[in-house]
Amino acid sequence: MEEKFSQDSSKAYVSLQRALTVELERLKSLTAAFHLIDNLTQAEFNNFSQVLMTTNPDIVALKWIEVVPKNQRFLFEAEMKNLYGEKFAIKTNQGSRNAVATINDRYAVVKYVFPFEKNAQAIGRDSFSNEAQRQALYLSDITQSSFATSPQSIVQQKGDDKVVIIYHPVYSKSEKLKGYTALILNLNNFLSSVKTNSLLEKSLGLYLTDLEKNRVPFAGSGPEYLVEELLFRSYEFYLPFAGRNWLFNTEVNLKALPDYQKFEHTSIKKKWAFGIVFSFLFSLAMFLIVRARLQVVEANNTLKKQEKYYHDLIDYSSEAFYLFNCQGDILDVNAEACNLLGYTRESLLSLNINQIDVNYSSVELKDICKDLLFDKKVLFETQHKTMSEKVIPVEISASKFKINNENVIGAFVRDLTDRKTVKAISLDNDLLQRAIEERTQELDGQKRAFETIFEKSSDGIFISEGRRIVDCNQATVDIFGYKSKDQLLTLPNKVFVPKFQPDGESSHRKGFRMLQICLERGSHHFEWVNRRASGELFWTDVVLTRLEYYGRTVFHFAFRDISTRKRLESEMKAAREAAIFANKAKSEFLAKMTHDIRTPLHGILSYAQMGESRVESLSTEKIQRYFYNVQQSAQRLMTLLNDLLDSAKLESGLMSFQFQYQNIEPVIQSCLAEQASLIDNKVFI
């Protein structure tokens, strides 16, 4: 029964290995579709997935996870809304929560899933927000190979069943990471399918344990047995899969095996009891006759069976195996040992173990063989040298036993290169995690400082989505004259502006134009007229900035009431225009006054010159007329000078005017008399 159980366990182990390999090939086939088609549509993804899942209906889902940088989140969500509706948003992947994902440097978003109906809740979830999934995605990208998560609970899976998500990275032609294909396996159902499809013994209990988490199985199939039972038996197999270290365990109570039950059946024992006793003597005689021959035949058959079982077990093992004597001569190896070291089987059989092991000499190996007890395992780490002279770290599980009365050592050798790499990556991940925590604390401090500035600022600050205000500070409430912040946040944006701005453009159209400028440039500065709760209009100086606010594009408004400044500017402009007008009037007045002064002055000078040049030939009457004209011109000049001196009265508005009808003839006669000397002089010349 134990031999039968051992054979069934080996068959189960090999069957499970092959089945898991098929699933990895299935995932790689889906990945190949994304390499062949740059932009795989949802319909094309569904077609590929449907073909891949026809041979295994126990797969929970196939997924396409796209990597989205922070600066492309808005465009990605807009694209996804066309596929899944306006309510789509990138969500955090923490349990069953549907919270919108916070702002991160990048996201790993589930874009497609098949079958859709059973897994619709997974759409839009950010796999980077789950610690176990983020680590598996990171390691898959680093190793550029398939990588599995630890056992997970997912929203679309009901009950306590755990699943394992296997990721494979997809790169663009420029070697840039585009995303990941993913395959979700329910290991309970998967083990049951392997048992059924491989025609394994139904009484076997099959269990899987994740060695990197704990020693508690996370998946199982078949009946459960008590370890305390007398005929309880179990086998353990190390099962590396997609970067994880699993332990495959088979259990049974030998009584549950069909062969045991056949011989234990009560009715058969009663019917044949008498016959057995009766035929015992005859059987004993026959036994004595053929005993010698049977012993030889059975010994040969047993030896052949053991040898075949030994070779099958060793060859099917995923770990390298060496068999060597206490002198270190290699007696046997399996195919995995040849793959590990790069030698042919014949070459390895001609070597001594100390030619491969770089840490232990032949003397030390003999001491290990001497100290090693029978039926006891020893586990240690060392380094082996490959045919290409490359040194690799290995873990050896060795035990000593006898073959043909010779002490030999069987050693299972496990390559630790990946484990060392993962350990180093885990260490780097821990350092990265601490750096993230420090950065988070720094950002929290900046957030508190921003909130303090936001609330305590004397300038109005509010955040708007375009149609309504999302948040504001107390200064905004005070400037607009509302009773509370809650009252202000319930109102639409159109309440806070007049229908038209002072330049005649509608507030709605101009506001939309300001937002477009801000979207293109990132910020914009302008002046704007607002309306208080009382209806009063007032000017503001506005600085508009585009922000990402909890995953949405919003606008940050910082404004200041500049009504007093605008009033002073208006008064200053009016005063400036008045001064310019007064200066122009003064200039015109002086130009005219200069002309008027020159006219009588020319009369005085002309008559004086004429009298001086003609004094000897002039009569008394002409001289008297010359002096009269000089006196008239001087009198007129005096009047003009008095008017000029009274210009201060004109500027201050104290000048009085008397308007009445006048006879213009004396004025004409006076002008002719003033110019007569010039006329005579011209005529004389």
Side-chain angles (χ1 to χ4, degrees), residues 67-70 104-108 126 128 138 141 177 180:
V67 175
V68 181
K70 179 176 68 174
N104 297 310
D105 290 337
R106 60 177 187 163
Y107 311 87
D126 175 22
F128 280 152
Y138 175 67
D141 182 23
L177 179 65
Y180 303 85

Side-chain angles (χ1 to χ4, degrees), residues 275-288:
I276 292 174
V277 173
F278 178 78
S279 60
F280 176 72
L281 295 175
F282 178 78
S283 299
L284 180 61
M286 293 298 294
F287 174 74
L288 292 173

Side-chain angles (χ1 to χ4, degrees), residues 551-615:
R552 308 190 305 272
T553 300
V554 297
F555 298 95
H556 175 276
F557 289 80
F559 66 95
R560 180 175 298 174
D561 188 347
I562 58 170
S563 298
T564 302
R565 191 188 81 188
K566 297 296 287 186
R567 178 176 55 80
L568 293 175
E569 288 178 354
S570 178
E571 293 177 356
M572 186 180 298
K573 182 179 180 181
R576 182 171 176 274
E577 291 176 352
I580 292 173
F581 178 77
N583 187 58
K584 182 179 179 181
K586 193 171 186 179
S587 298
E588 292 177 353
F589 170 75
L590 289 175
K592 185 177 181 181
M593 184 60 69
T594 301
H595 179 269
D596 288 347
I597 289 174
R598 282 177 179 160
T599 300
L601 188 59
H602 277 301
I604 294 172
L605 292 174
S606 296
Y607 280 107
Q609 184 180 4
M610 288 175 61
E612 182 181 6
S613 60
R614 301 176 184 179
V615 64

Side-chain angles (χ1 to χ4, degrees), residues 438-448:
E438 292 175 0
R439 180 58 179 165
T440 301
Q441 293 177 357
E442 180 182 345
L443 291 176
D444 287 341
Q446 294 177 357
K447 178 183 177 184
R448 287 192 295 271

Side-chain angles (χ1 to χ4, degrees), residues 514-527:
M514 298 297 105
L515 294 180
Q516 289 296 322
I517 295 173
C518 179
L519 280 173
E520 294 173 2
R521 299 179 181 175
S523 63
H524 187 43
H525 181 208
F526 58 95
E527 291 182 354

Side-chain angles (χ1 to χ4, degrees), residues 351-378:
L351 298 177
N352 191 284
I353 193 67
N354 67 342
Q355 294 176 271
I356 298 172
D357 196 298
V358 300
N359 289 350
Y360 294 96
S361 64
S362 58
V363 176
E364 291 173 323
L365 288 172
K366 288 181 180 180
D367 291 338
I368 292 175
C369 180
K370 181 180 178 181
D371 296 336
L372 190 61
L373 300 176
F374 287 99
D375 298 327
K376 295 292 184 181
K377 292 182 180 180
V378 62

Side-chain angles (χ1 to χ4, degrees), residues 245-476:
N245 295 317
W246 287 351
L247 184 69
F248 176 57
N249 202 56
T250 60
E251 297 179 357
V252 77
N253 187 312
L254 296 179
K255 290 182 179 181
L257 293 174
D259 291 342
Y260 188 94
Q261 294 173 355
K262 180 175 67 176
F263 289 112
E264 280 292 299
H265 201 280
T266 305
S267 61
I268 294 177
K269 289 194 296 182
K270 288 181 179 180
K271 290 180 180 179
W272 290 94
F274 178 76
I276 292 174
V277 173
F278 178 78
S279 60
F280 176 72
L281 295 175
F282 178 78
S283 299
L284 180 61
M286 293 298 294
F287 174 74
L288 292 173
I289 295 172
V290 298
R291 178 178 181 182
R293 185 175 296 176
L294 287 176
Q295 283 181 338
V296 174
V297 174
E298 288 178 359
N300 290 334
N301 290 337
T302 301
L303 183 61
K304 289 180 180 179
K305 288 181 180 180
Q306 289 179 345
E307 184 178 356
K308 183 179 184 304
Y309 170 69
Y310 159 73
H311 280 290
D312 288 345
L313 183 62
I314 296 304
D315 286 337
Y316 281 136
S317 176
S318 62
E319 297 179 355
F321 177 80
Y322 310 149
L323 181 68
F324 54 91
N325 58 25
C326 288
Q327 286 72 41
D329 297 325
I330 299 177
L331 305 176
D332 197 5
V333 294
N334 65 354
E336 187 61 30
C338 298
N339 294 333
L340 178 65
L341 299 178
Y343 290 95
T344 63
R345 188 172 187 276
E346 291 74 16
S347 298
L348 280 176
L349 294 179
S350 65
L351 298 177
N352 191 284
I353 193 67
N354 67 342
Q355 294 176 271
I356 298 172
D357 196 298
V358 300
N359 289 350
Y360 294 96
S361 64
S362 58
V363 176
E364 291 173 323
L365 288 172
K366 288 181 180 180
D367 291 338
I368 292 175
C369 180
K370 181 180 178 181
D371 296 336
L372 190 61
L373 300 176
F374 287 99
D375 298 327
K376 295 292 184 181
K377 292 182 180 180
V378 62
L379 189 69
F380 61 94
E381 292 185 7
T382 183
Q383 291 178 308
H384 282 181
K385 183 168 60 178
T386 66
M387 185 178 180
S388 61
E389 300 297 324
K390 179 182 178 182
V391 177
I392 58 174
V394 295
E395 180 183 71
I396 295 181
S397 175
S399 58
K400 185 167 71 173
F401 50 92
K402 283 183 178 292
I403 294 181
N404 297 329
N405 293 322
E406 182 184 6
N407 292 337
V408 296
I409 296 177
F412 283 95
V413 181
R414 183 182 305 162
D415 187 356
L416 295 181
T417 303
D418 290 342
R419 184 186 295 182
K420 297 285 187 183
T421 302
V422 171
K423 185 177 180 181
I425 291 174
S426 299
L427 180 61
D428 292 341
N429 190 46
D430 292 339
L431 296 174
L432 178 62
Q433 203 63 30
R434 286 196 292 272
I436 291 173
E437 291 175 358
E438 292 175 0
R439 180 58 179 165
T440 301
Q441 293 177 357
E442 180 182 345
L443 291 176
D444 287 341
Q446 294 177 357
K447 178 183 177 184
R448 287 192 295 271
F450 172 77
E451 289 174 347
T452 301
I453 295 172
F454 183 83
E455 292 297 336
K456 301 299 182 181
S457 175
S458 59
D459 291 338
I461 300 174
F462 64 87
I463 298 172
S464 173
E465 283 186 317
R467 295 183 178 179
R468 65 182 186 88
I469 296 177
V470 177
D471 197 6
C472 69
N473 64 353
Q474 186 59 40
T476 301

